[in-house]
Amino acid sequence: MMKIENLKASIDGKEILRGLNLEVKPGEVHAIMGPNGSGKSTLASVLAGREDYEVTDGTVTFNGQSLLDMDPEIRAREGLFLAFQYPVEIPGVSNMNFLKAAVGEMRKHRGQDPLTAKEFLALVKEKSALVELDGQLANRAVNEGFSGGEKKRNEVFQMAMLEPTLAILDETDSGLDIDALRIVAQGVNAMRSPERSFVVITHYQRLLDYIVPDVVHVLYKGQIVKTGPKELALELEEKGYDWIKETVA
Amino acid sequence: MEILDEITGKDYEFGFTTNIESDKIPAGLNEGVIRLISQKKNEPQWLLDWRLDAFKIWQTMQEPEWAHVQYTKPDFQAISYYAAPKSKPKINSLDDLDPEMRKTMDKLGISLDEQKRLNGIAVDFVMDSVSVATSFKEKLGELGIIFCSISEAIQNHGELVQKYLGTVVPKKDNFYAALNSAVFTDGSFCYIPKGVKCPMELSTYFRINEGGTGQFERTLVIADEESYVSYLEGCTAPQRDENQLHAAVVELIALERAEIKYSTVQNWYPGDKEGKGGVFNFVTKRGLCDGYKSKISWTQVETGSAVTWKYPSCVLKGDYSVGEFYSVAVTNHFQQADTGTKMIHIGRNSHSTIISKGISAGKSNNSYRGLVQINPSAQNARNFSQCDSLLMTDQCGAHTFPYIEVNNSTAQVEHEATTSKIGEDQIFYCLQRGLDEEQAISMIVNGYAKEVLNKLPMEFAVEAQKLLAISLEGSVG
Ligand SMILES: Nc1ncnc2c1ncn2[C@@H]1O[C@H](COP(=O)(O)OP(=O)(O)OP(=O)(O)O)[C@@H](O)[C@H]1O
Ligand SMILES: [Mg+2]
């Protein structure tokens, strides 16, 4: 699915990712944990193709292709999805029109016919039910005036609509209330399949009770410094990061 | 009558030495030229006198300099003030057209036939729009609606023209209005009789006598009591013109309980990317809400011209009259726009709304200039103004000049203004969902301008959205 080798990236001359390696196989769920500022969102942004970051070294293969050579929209159309840590608002653009355009591009890229209005609405209905998204929200402008939790739920709704092969969820659990957390996790679980992989960035073991990962990584100072089974998350929750920082230092 | 002929003839004799047969009169402006225009158009005496009076006034005026624009002032003696319609350059096939222009038309989704029609290329088979226009005329005739060129109206409905011409925009109103009054040769006229709701959008585009818009257009729209009309001016297709200066005057008159909705899409040639060439668009547009509960709405999407200077305004004379102004003005490259509105409240309980959305890209300058004037008689007048500016680059400018004059303590005036830069975060968000940059900008900008675009008639709105996107292509930085 995706293989990251020795990835180095910097912003404004400051190196944030410092030789990162990670391999995600089809159907796997990887959790990435790590202290604030360790580079988790940076990794997500670099994978999604944000221009502000300069990739100085390393390779990323995504479904056999070089991911770093693709424009951001092509990465998306090739099946890479990023649920943003801070989803942006786009005033005046209805969620529906936005998704309609996005779904249209995905289908065009895959050589599929565009959906009819009726098919599209049916899809919206199905997917919004999956994350119990209020129908009202679907009709409002993209994230405009949404609460923090609503924005996160909307991200998962969009993911469900776009059916990516690799989804990166950047702290999608933060800001969610307990019920919402469960609902969002259920939505993700419903999408798990042997062809679809997830990279779940989180600070809390709690989410991983619902979305059970195959592997847990610790990202620290721009590198994956520890990898382990799902129990590693429990251990981190209990002991914090100091013991890992020590082993690195 | 004989004396008049003699006088006109005389001036003619020495002031002027052109072969009347020619299509275009030589450059220059003097009384003789005005007499010649009037004569060529076979105008009644009152109009000639009116023109001459305007010319006298114009000669005493100075070109205004207060707008936030810079340009080389036109040489008024270097312009030819009359050219017969047939002198419009003939193009025989679309292949002869500027490829840039064709590209834009294709992007706008304008059909080939329509492209031909817009460029005055003959089409061999009956086209939809032509047949539509014909049945359209019949229908309007049945309702007593008059919709024709102003020249035709002068010939056939002289008393209406004489009654209203210059009543909203007087000759002495401003430098360009005076010039227009003296030399206008083309334009539209529309009269909606009492109680008639015009069942379709009236569009200059459907006016059959076309032959190119004049450089000094004159438009007069009169909505008699309890009538309604929605009028569309311009079209989204790019319009090139050899005339650098355009100074139109538009006058609207709404009588008691009448409503006029006037929508404009302006897409004149803005000059090239280096800022060379391009049209100077100095327009005076004003509506008079003359009667009780009369209403005038201006909606405009401005993407063209090198320099725009334009303030569609409402004089709210009637009690409970309503004035509205909805505007999207885009400037790119080196374009300059100084646009806005004036709401003059005279009547009691008169209300006005101003929504202005400026979008600046490249190295352009975009200014909003608005006056809200509450006169002592305007008891309980209300105004709400919202002026937003969106910046696409760091090199462009947005300026807001609101002028508020309140002379009645019962009035309520609200003004809101915002300036924001188009977000790279927003664009990246769209890219991440599979949209390309063009689509992303188009979405974001259209979302921003939505309140205004929603006011456009349906068929215009879709094209206007595409137009905004095209005007801003590759403009983020
Ligand atoms: N534009 C920038 N200029 C300078 N430094 C930046 C910039 N953007 C990010 N950084 C730095 O990069 C580092 C990694 O940030 P990143 O957002 O990837 O961390 P994170 O692991 O996602 O943290 P959190 O858990 O708080 O979300 C931080 O030290 C941050 O300050
Ligand atoms: Mg982060």
Side-chain angles (χ1 to χ4, degrees):
Chain A
M1 174 68 56
M2 179 175 69
K3 189 169 188 190
I4 305 173
E5 283 174 297
N6 191 35
L7 183 63
K8 292 184 184 171
S10 49
I11 186 158
D12 298 337
K14 182 178 161 195
E15 189 167 67
I16 312 285
L17 300 183
R18 304 192 299 169
L20 188 143
N21 298 292
L22 178 69
E23 185 172 4
V24 180
K25 297 208 167 76
E28 285 181 348
V29 175
H30 289 234
I32 296 183
M33 304 182 80
N36 293 131
S38 58
K40 302 182 297 297
S41 295
T42 302
L43 173 63
S45 296
V46 169
L47 293 178
R50 184 128 202 175
E51 268 179 11
D52 310 322
Y53 298 92
E54 193 195 348
V55 176
T56 52
D57 203 1
T59 56
V60 181
T61 38
F62 179 55
N63 293 329
Q65 289 174 278
S66 171
L67 186 74
L68 301 176
D69 291 333
M70 296 180 209
D71 285 334
E73 66 272 26
I74 305 298
R75 302 182 194 196
R77 294 174 199 167
E78 285 285 329
L80 182 90
F81 181 91
L82 171 59
F84 287 82
Q85 182 171 2
Y86 305 107
V88 298
E89 304 190 359
I90 311 181
V93 176
S94 87
N95 240 337
M96 281 298 117
N97 282 343
F98 180 70
L99 274 173
K100 197 150 189 207
V103 170
E105 286 305 322
M106 300 292 174
R107 294 185 66 89
K108 194 159 83 188
H109 190 75
R110 294 183 209 133
Q112 295 166 311
D113 286 334
L115 293 177
T116 63
K118 208 173 145 194
E119 288 166 336
F120 178 74
L121 283 178
L123 189 68
V124 167
K125 212 166 160 193
E126 180 199 328
K127 303 299 185 186
S128 56
L130 198 64
V131 289
E132 297 180 26
L133 188 82
D134 189 337
Q136 291 282 307
L137 290 182
N139 286 311
R140 273 168 45 186
V142 180
N143 293 324
E144 193 186 18
F146 284 26
S147 75
E150 286 167 346
K151 285 181 183 168
K152 296 301 178 72
R153 215 188 277 209
N154 194 26
E155 293 291 287
V156 179
F157 167 58
Q158 291 187 15
M159 173 177 78
M161 289 291 292
L162 299 176
E163 302 185 321
T165 52
L166 175 68
I168 303 167
L169 309 182
D170 192 358
E171 296 198 28
T172 302
D173 54 333
S174 66
L176 290 179
D177 67 39
I178 298 157
D179 291 335
L181 181 69
R182 187 176 36 80
I183 292 161
V184 162
Q186 276 169 5
V188 171
N189 285 333
M191 287 185 67
R192 284 180 78 156
S193 84
E195 293 84 40
R196 184 173 290 134
S197 314
F198 292 86
V199 172
V200 180
I201 296 169
T202 182
H203 284 295
Y204 305 105
Q205 137 70 20
R206 194 184 52 190
L207 175 71
L208 305 179
D209 283 342
Y210 294 107
I211 306 173
V212 182
D214 299 297
V215 203
V216 176
H217 306 277
V218 177
L219 182 59
Y220 179 59
K221 288 192 173 166
Q223 289 179 320
I224 302 279
V225 294
K226 193 165 180 65
T227 297
K230 63 176 189 290
E231 289 75 20
L232 176 59
L234 282 169
E235 196 178 349
L236 290 169
E237 180 114 323
E238 203 176 303
K239 300 204 260 179
Y241 290 111
D242 283 351
W243 62 285
I244 291 181
K245 290 181 185 171
E246 275 159 29
T247 59
V248 176
Chain B
M1 210 44 207
E2 264 170 13
I3 299 170
L4 286 175
D5 277 347
E6 222 182 277
I7 295 169
T8 42
K10 221 190 257 161
D11 259 36
Y12 209 63
E13 240 166 48
F14 48 68
F16 205 69
T17 53
T18 323
N19 177 3
I20 300 175
E21 297 307 309
S22 91
D23 287 315
K24 203 168 179 176
I25 60 178
L29 185 55
N30 54 47
E31 262 194 45
V33 168
I34 291 167
R35 286 177 191 281
L36 185 68
I37 292 171
S38 197
Q39 194 202 17
K40 276 186 178 270
K41 298 178 68 66
N42 192 26
E43 287 176 354
Q45 184 64 39
W46 69 265
L47 189 54
L48 173 61
D49 294 343
W50 196 82
R51 287 179 183 277
L52 291 173
D53 185 41
F55 179 61
K56 276 208 192 83
I57 293 169
W58 179 72
Q59 284 176 304
T60 67
M61 295 175 106
Q62 295 286 316
E63 194 165 358
E65 286 178 351
W66 45 263
H68 194 90
V69 294
Q70 278 157 15
Y71 59 95
T72 319
K73 288 183 180 157
D75 176 359
F76 296 99
Q77 295 303 336
I79 296 170
S80 165
Y81 289 85
Y82 182 87
K86 65 179 159 196
S87 71
K88 195 183 178 190
K90 262 256 176 295
I91 302 176
N92 295 316
S93 94
L94 283 173
D95 298 334
D96 299 341
L97 218 60
D98 180 346
E100 277 296 312
M101 192 150 156
R102 279 211 61 187
K103 222 165 74 190
T104 311
M105 297 224 227
D106 287 339
K107 282 190 186 159
L108 280 165
I110 296 172
S111 74
L112 284 183
D113 285 342
E114 203 53 29
Q115 292 191 19
K116 287 184 182 170
R117 200 180 79 86
L118 287 167
N119 291 288
I121 300 164
V123 191
D124 345 310
F125 51 94
V126 182
M127 245 167 31
D128 257 10
S129 54
V130 173
S131 51
V132 167
T134 313
S135 60
F136 194 83
K137 278 228 145 173
E138 279 170 19
K139 180 95 205 213
L140 294 178
E142 282 166 24
L143 292 164
I145 293 170
I146 305 166
F147 181 41
C148 59
S149 73
I150 194 126
S151 315
E152 271 177 83
I154 289 161
Q155 300 304 324
N156 304 328
H157 310 280
E159 66 303 337
L160 273 173
V161 178
Q162 189 174 8
K163 183 171 172 191
Y164 290 106
L165 188 72
T167 57
V168 188
V169 179
K171 285 170 278 195
K172 61 175 186 303
D173 190 80
N174 66 69
F175 183 82
Y176 292 107
L179 178 62
N180 176 290
S181 302
V183 302
F184 75 90
T185 51
D186 204 348
S188 305
F189 177 83
C190 170
Y191 173 79
I192 315 292
K194 257 184 210 174
V196 172
K197 310 266 179 260
C198 184
M200 48 196 106
E201 316 280 349
L202 291 188
S203 147
T204 43
Y205 188 78
F206 276 119
R207 223 185 55 215
I208 309 177
N209 70 323
E210 294 310 336
T213 40
Q215 194 175 2
F216 300 97
E217 246 188 307
R218 187 94 198 182
T219 301
L220 181 56
V221 179
I222 303 147
D224 212 326
E225 292 170 19
E226 296 192 38
S227 68
Y228 166 83
V229 63
S230 168
Y231 188 97
L232 310 185
E233 176 201 74
C235 64
T236 49
Q239 296 181 66
R240 245 169 227 268
D241 201 293
E242 278 138 47
N243 300 322
Q244 206 184 20
L245 173 67
H246 281 251
V249 171
V250 177
E251 295 179 280
L252 312 183
I253 295 133
L255 300 182
E256 197 174 310
R257 292 177 203 270
E259 178 176 351
I260 302 174
K261 201 172 145 52
Y262 193 103
S263 313
T264 308
V265 172
Q266 186 265 113
N267 192 14
W268 291 108
Y269 182 52
D272 65 14
K273 292 184 173 102
E274 273 74 52
K276 286 200 206 76
V279 167
F280 295 173
N281 193 20
F282 302 134
V283 190
T284 308
K285 288 184 163 178
R286 193 173 305 149
L288 173 63
C289 285
D290 203 14
Y292 172 75
K293 284 206 172 168
S294 51
K295 178 175 177 183
I296 290 179
S297 306
W298 298 101
T299 305
Q300 59 173 27
V301 175
E302 301 273 324
T303 62
S305 298
V307 182
T308 303
W309 181 96
K310 176 176 175 183
Y311 316 91
S313 305
C314 297
V315 178
L316 302 168
K317 194 169 149 211
D319 292 347
Y320 291 90
S321 59
V322 176
E324 295 174 337
F325 174 74
Y326 302 101
S327 167
V328 179
V330 180
T331 52
N332 201 351
H333 307 304
F334 288 87
Q335 279 178 280
Q336 308 175 62
D338 193 306
T339 172
T341 185
K342 292 184 213 166
M343 293 290 173
I344 312 293
H345 290 255
I346 299 169
R348 287 185 299 125
N349 291 84
S350 49
H351 283 205
S352 62
T353 304
I354 299 171
I355 309 278
S356 161
K357 303 270 182 179
I359 301 168
S360 339
K363 296 193 164 76
S364 66
N365 260 303
N366 204 326
S367 303
Y368 168 81
R369 187 183 302 276
L371 169 67
V372 176
Q373 187 189 74
I374 314 281
N375 286 277
S377 55
Q379 196 76 1
N380 291 319
R382 299 265 180 287
N383 163 267
F384 173 75
S385 305
Q386 186 188 323
C387 306
D388 298 328
S389 309
L390 184 68
L391 306 176
M392 311 291 285
T393 63
D394 294 325
Q395 298 111 314
C396 59
H399 316 270
T400 309
F401 305 97
Y403 305 91
I404 299 171
E405 296 169 16
V406 180
N407 295 305
N408 183 312
S409 59
T410 61
Q412 280 183 24
V413 176
E414 273 178 79
H415 180 91
E416 288 175 11
T418 66
T419 301
S420 50
K421 177 147 194 287
I422 188 161
E424 277 171 39
D425 288 349
Q426 289 175 327
I427 294 174
F428 185 66
Y429 191 80
C430 295
L431 296 179
Q432 213 303 302
R433 298 303 184 247
L435 308 180
D436 61 33
E437 184 166 292
E438 242 171 68
Q439 288 172 305
I441 292 170
S442 163
M443 281 236 169
I444 295 164
V445 167
N446 278 299
Y448 163 78
K450 193 176 166 201
E451 274 170 281
V452 174
L453 297 175
N454 279 348
K455 298 288 172 185
L456 287 174
M458 259 310 275
E459 57 265 56
F460 241 28
V462 177
E463 279 186 34
Q465 281 185 23
K466 288 188 199 161
L467 181 61
L468 282 188
I470 293 169
S471 318
L472 290 169
E473 250 166 41
S475 60
V476 177

